[in-house]
Amino acid sequence: MPVHIALLRAVNVGGTGKLTMSDLKALCEKAGFSDVKTYIQSGNVLFRSDLTAADAAKVLDKALAEIMGKAPGVMVRNRSQLEKIAKNNPFPDAKPNYLMVNFLPEKAPADALDNLVAPDGEEVHVAGHEIYVHYPNGSGRSKLKLPALKPATSRNLNTVRKLAELAAAMEDG
């Protein structure tokens, strides 16, 4: 059974709402997913399911909406996609914790970089369903404005690599 990695948007970071990882695990199991594992308190969950990534995202988003009052947004990727995202990092000299991968529910629009405001030297690269942003001074203080990031959920490169590693362990174990 395939391993999926779900990345929840706006969970436990002051957005849609608070959700403990134990509650997330239980919710995923109730939704029919198996071998469920969570990683850090920012809405990362790995599980097995025969559903497609898109269908798994819909099931999880709907289940979350029932307990949170609205769907937060769920992006689902697999191990090889995360490995490719990490490998194709367009900013190889950036510190991994200063490089955010923004996961989008759909392919980034052609005009994704229109209206970009990067006052602190931020660098941005669009790659399909992801937008990489290098924050040379850290993302917490950044004044970056990029409307294309609104539907995205972000993970730093360290987290992307760790999630790929955890998925590999599940697949190989």
Side-chain angles (χ1 to χ4, degrees), residues 124-137:
V124 180
H125 178 79
V126 177
H129 286 74
E130 287 78 34
I131 298 176
Y132 297 81
V133 180
H134 171 225
Y135 294 92
N137 300 321

Side-chain angles (χ1 to χ4, degrees), residues 4-165:
H4 296 286
I5 302 111
L7 309 163
L8 282 58
R9 184 177 168 272
V11 172
N12 292 339
V13 290
T16 302
K18 301 289 183 185
L19 178 70
T20 68
M21 294 303 99
S22 59
D23 287 345
L24 175 58
K25 182 176 188 222
L27 181 136
C28 287
E29 290 168 344
K30 185 177 176 187
F33 303 139
S34 62
D35 201 11
V36 179
K37 296 172 180 28
T38 61
Y39 177 68
I40 63 176
Q41 284 291 123
S42 58
N44 305 300
V45 61
L46 299 94
F47 55 85
R48 291 184 187 280
S49 174
D50 283 328
L51 293 175
T52 65
D55 287 344
K58 287 177 190 167
V59 166
L60 186 51
D61 214 24
K62 182 179 179 192
L64 287 162
E66 290 175 11
I67 64 165
M68 300 176 87
K70 68 177 183 175
V74 176
M75 301 350 133
V76 175
R77 303 295 192 266
N78 63 40
R79 168 191 177 180
S80 64
Q81 288 171 317
L82 291 186
E83 288 173 344
K84 183 178 177 185
I85 288 164
K87 180 182 168 226
N88 293 337
N89 167 15
F91 307 112
D93 295 331
K95 294 178 187 173
N97 57 325
Y98 281 58
L99 176 61
M100 301 298 283
V101 179
N102 298 274
F103 295 87
L104 298 165
E106 298 174 356
K107 188 174 180 183
D111 64 353
L113 297 182
D114 288 3
N115 303 313
L116 169 67
V117 177
D120 298 318
E122 297 90 350
E123 300 172 282
V124 180
H125 178 79
V126 177
H129 286 74
E130 287 78 34
I131 298 176
Y132 297 81
V133 180
H134 171 225
Y135 294 92
N137 300 321
S139 61
R141 289 168 278 195
S142 174
K143 302 291 186 226
L144 176 96
K145 289 185 176 64
L146 183 58
L149 296 180
K150 186 164 177 56
T153 188
S154 304
R155 301 296 185 274
N156 72 37
L157 189 58
N158 287 329
T159 298
V160 172
R161 289 175 175 156
K162 183 63 176 181
L163 290 168
E165 179 184 309

